[in-house]
Amino acid sequence: MKVIITGAGRLGRHTAQVLAAARNEVTIVEEDDDVVAALEGALPVRLVTGDACEPAVLEEAGVLTTDLVIATTGDDEDNLVISLLAKRQFAAPRVVARINDPDNTWLFDERWGVDAAVPADASLISLIEEATSSTDTVALLRLSKAGVNVIETTITSQSRAVGHALADIAVPAGTVVAAVIRDGEPAAPDAGIRLRPGDELLLVSHSATEKEVHAAFQ
């Protein structure tokens, strides 16, 4: 599946990490040059610098052949303009948009090209489920088109994995850690990283269940 994510804030980055880990072709559009430079090599995605509210930038990102556009900027006006352009001008098959201000919820519908709207306080999982509903999401995040599960687990102070290096954790067969998100920033899953309370782990598995993955860490 080809995906365009507009906005490289925390939600945009995490969404890109999950979808890329599930073997989707992901492009992030971000207008801040410094943010784009910081992301170079940090995420397995294509980066496009520019304002996604401009049709030419969306075209450069590949909107004419994309399967999904996700507008995750921190500005509702921008998310609506992006959604309208993606759906009305470029006929994107599915458009998902983030709502930052609850008072604007009534605007986020098909009139503005929005197929699914996600409140800013919704979980990452909720956004991905909305975004991938057309690909038969099952269980937590079963991306059937990719043939894998992407499972999220959070380390708490009671988790058995606290203080242990990632290499010491026996994850189920056919499962790999795609990212460790610490203090809101995704980090490469280095084998020597020691897990702390609050760490969020994204794991990709071809066969393990959510229960089996949680049991390894909790």
Side-chain angles (χ1 to χ4, degrees):
M1 181 167 66
K2 294 183 178 180
V3 184
I4 294 174
I5 298 173
T6 63
R10 178 180 178 182
L11 185 61
R13 296 194 307 275
H14 290 186
T15 303
Q17 186 79 42
V18 172
L19 292 178
R23 301 179 184 176
N24 294 289
E25 185 179 321
V26 180
T27 298
I28 293 180
V29 181
E30 168 60 48
E31 62 180 338
D32 189 319
D33 293 338
D34 292 335
V35 172
V36 172
L39 289 177
E40 288 285 356
L43 292 175
V45 303
R46 176 177 172 236
L47 297 168
V48 172
T49 305
D51 184 352
C53 291
E54 298 181 6
V57 174
L58 285 178
E59 281 198 65
E60 181 185 351
V63 70
L64 291 170
T65 58
T66 196
D67 300 297
L68 169 66
V69 174
I70 307 177
T72 67
T73 79
D75 188 297
D76 283 344
E77 182 178 338
D78 285 351
N79 288 342
L80 287 170
V81 170
I82 292 164
S83 297
L84 189 64
L85 283 172
K87 180 66 70 173
R88 301 290 180 238
Q89 184 163 338
F90 297 110
R94 184 162 179 80
V95 177
V96 176
R98 175 189 186 182
I99 305 170
N100 296 282
D101 184 345
D103 290 341
N104 294 331
T105 300
W106 65 279
L107 289 167
F108 285 74
D109 58 21
E110 66 280 356
R111 293 171 300 173
W112 280 91
V114 179
D115 294 307
V118 182
D121 59 357
S123 68
L124 171 65
I125 297 304
S126 296
L127 186 146
I128 301 296
E129 287 179 335
E130 288 286 3
T132 60
S133 64
S134 60
T135 64
D136 189 19
T137 302
V138 178
L140 179 63
L141 280 179
R142 179 175 296 277
L143 303 180
S144 61
K145 188 171 182 179
V148 297
N149 286 332
V150 180
I151 300 172
E152 181 181 42
T153 189
T154 300
I155 304 301
T156 69
S157 57
Q158 286 76 42
S159 298
R160 69 174 70 182
V162 169
H164 290 276
L166 199 57
D168 296 334
I169 308 299
V171 298
T175 302
V176 296
V177 179
V180 176
I181 300 171
R182 177 172 291 172
D183 298 326
E185 296 296 331
D190 184 272
I193 189 172
R194 293 192 175 274
L195 298 175
R196 306 174 185 170
D199 286 349
E200 298 173 65
L201 277 67
L202 299 178
L203 300 98
V204 179
S205 179
H206 288 279
S207 56
T209 65
E210 177 186 352
K211 183 177 180 181
E212 290 171 331
V213 168
H214 288 328
F217 293 91
Q218 306 302 334

